[in-house]
Amino acid sequence: MAKLVSKTYGDALFSLAVEENRVNEFAEEVTAVQTVLEENRDFNKILVHPEIPKEQKLRLVENVFKGRVSDDLTGFLRIVVTKGRYKDLPAIFAYFSAKVKEYNKTGVAEVVSAVPLNGEQQKKIEQKLLDTTRYEKMEIAYKVDEDVIGGLRIRIGDRVVDSTIRSRLNKLTGSLMNISLETEQ
């Protein structure tokens, strides 16, 4: 359900940004709002508190954001609060930000290796990803996991390329188990 909410509201915000031809401006404002919300936990507690009337919550949103972000984004925040979806705002903003990155042809990848990669290796990986995808820029998070033993595991969205030694050993173990089971019968 939460995914549907974030998709519905995130798509609506993104459509408005495209329609207004202000995608990057909206993205900057969303980042600013996220920062305010992360730094002010009490603000969040008030907006999710069930005993505080919506009118008070709406006044609070107006007081905090009106004049600091566009009227469109302030209006969007009012709708989210009115519909009782404030707790879904982080997921909505994450979905919106992902749509903006796709729109700007920026890929987001996670690369896992057994040892830290040096700058030259990272540049080669980035270039290979740019060459094999439709993206023009890449944001890559490099992580180290000694359990992979060697090789790389690369995730872009819901696609995974796993060329780790750990993965190959697991496949080999499975194959050997099947062979031993077949010969025993």
Side-chain angles (χ1 to χ4, degrees), residues 112-114 145-153 161-175:
V112 179
S113 60
D145 180 358
E146 294 174 0
D147 289 340
V148 301
I149 304 172
L152 298 173
R153 183 174 55 242
V161 176
D162 191 340
S163 64
T164 61
I165 293 175
R166 168 66 61 204
S167 169
R168 292 177 188 172
L169 287 173
N170 288 340
K171 287 177 189 172
L172 183 59
T173 302
S175 296

Side-chain angles (χ1 to χ4, degrees), residues 91-160:
I92 293 168
F93 282 165
Y95 182 87
F96 171 80
S97 296
K99 293 277 288 186
V100 169
K101 286 179 182 177
E102 282 291 321
Y103 180 82
N104 288 327
K105 295 185 179 174
T106 301
V108 178
E110 176 185 83
V111 176
V112 179
S113 60
V115 295
L117 301 173
N118 65 36
E120 182 68 27
Q121 292 167 320
Q122 290 179 359
K123 284 181 187 175
K124 285 181 181 178
I125 290 168
E126 181 178 0
Q127 190 57 52
K128 185 69 171 174
L129 291 175
L130 288 171
D131 292 344
T132 57
T133 64
R134 67 189 189 300
Y135 298 115
E136 296 174 1
K137 295 180 273 182
M138 292 298 299
E139 291 179 7
I140 304 174
Y142 292 95
K143 297 184 177 179
V144 175
D145 180 358
E146 294 174 0
D147 289 340
V148 301
I149 304 172
L152 298 173
R153 183 174 55 242
I154 301 171
R155 175 185 299 274
I156 300 176
D158 58 358
R159 295 180 308 181
V160 178

Side-chain angles (χ1 to χ4, degrees), residues 13 19 21 27 47 51 68-69 78 95 97 106 125 130 157:
L13 183 58
E19 185 179 303
N21 198 24
L47 289 177
E51 294 180 18
R68 292 178 179 88
V69 297
R78 288 182 51 85
Y95 182 87
S97 296
T106 301
I125 290 168
L130 288 171

Side-chain angles (χ1 to χ4, degrees), residues 22-36 65 68-74 77 93 96:
R22 296 174 30 215
V23 174
N24 293 328
E25 181 182 327
F26 271 49
E28 289 174 16
E29 289 183 353
V30 163
T31 300
V33 169
Q34 284 176 308
T35 302
V36 168
F65 295 110
R68 292 178 179 88
V69 297
S70 67
D71 289 344
D72 291 327
L73 189 56
T74 303
L77 293 170
F93 282 165
F96 171 80

